[in-house]
Amino acid sequence: QLQLVQSGAEVKKPGASVKVSCKASGYSFTGYHMYWVRQAPGQGLECMGWINPNSGATKHPQRFQGRVTMTRDTSMSTVYMELSNLTSDDTAIYFCARVKRAVNPDGWFDPWGQGTLVTVSS
Amino acid sequence: DIVMTQSPDSLAVSLGERATIDCKSSQSVLYTSNKKNYLAWYQQKPGQPPKVLIYWASTRESGVPDRFSGSGSGTDFTLTISSLQAEDVAVYYCQQYYSSPLTFGGGTKVEIK
């Protein structure tokens, strides 16, 4: 069964870092790019970038440059997203989402993880 | 970055009536070499991740009811729910995958009138 299972909710203080995991099952882990997408409370969807689980290559928008790190563990079929120097603006649900098309980093997303709520509060 | 603009922000439709959501991209998402529009539509219900409904602007995902349809090309796209059902209450998003960074529209909330 095709599935992405994320780690649990986190509460962090401003300036701290958070690391969220996403474990994949039911398909060839290294065959599909994985994105991280976040959604602030009551807001829309924002792509944070992708990781190629095969090569480990990553790409993310300029606005996250220097703050986001995406890694993977192929033995565990798991990708990780670490966001540093957190502010209250980073309070959001963070989703991992697999690109539907094999090998290609650009595409629509299916499936999605269940989401991980990260709350940044002093 | 390609900016995706949806309208309206919300709409209320009677059960069994048609719902129409528009999405406009700041530049064309039509790839001329393969004549495909790099646009998808998602449905998100409260407390759930988004679910893909449509890709390539008009191809329905497997298992999606045929009351959902997508149309349009270039920069202007439409998602139509032909006969609104109670279970269709949700927020709907368009997304372009023509160029990185991939971007979403701001969402349209569909409610029952």
Side-chain angles (χ1 to χ4, degrees), chain A residues 35 37 39 43-47 50 59 61 95 99-101 105-110 112-115, chain B residues 38 40 42 44 47-52 55-56 61 93 95 97-106:
Chain A
Y35 272 75
V37 179
Q39 186 170 39
Q43 302 300 310
L45 301 162
E46 178 180 34
C47 280
W50 56 257
K59 186 174 182 180
F95 296 100
V99 177
K100 186 67 178 277
R101 298 197 292 167
D106 296 329
W108 60 99
F109 301 130
D110 180 60
W112 294 63
Q114 83 275 20
Chain B
Y38 283 50
Y42 297 85
Q44 187 179 30
Q48 297 183 18
K51 169 191 166 185
V52 65
Y55 54 92
W56 298 130
E61 172 73 343
Y93 294 94
Q95 176 228 335
Y97 47 97
Y98 180 87
S99 71
S100 186
L102 307 191
T103 48
F104 291 87

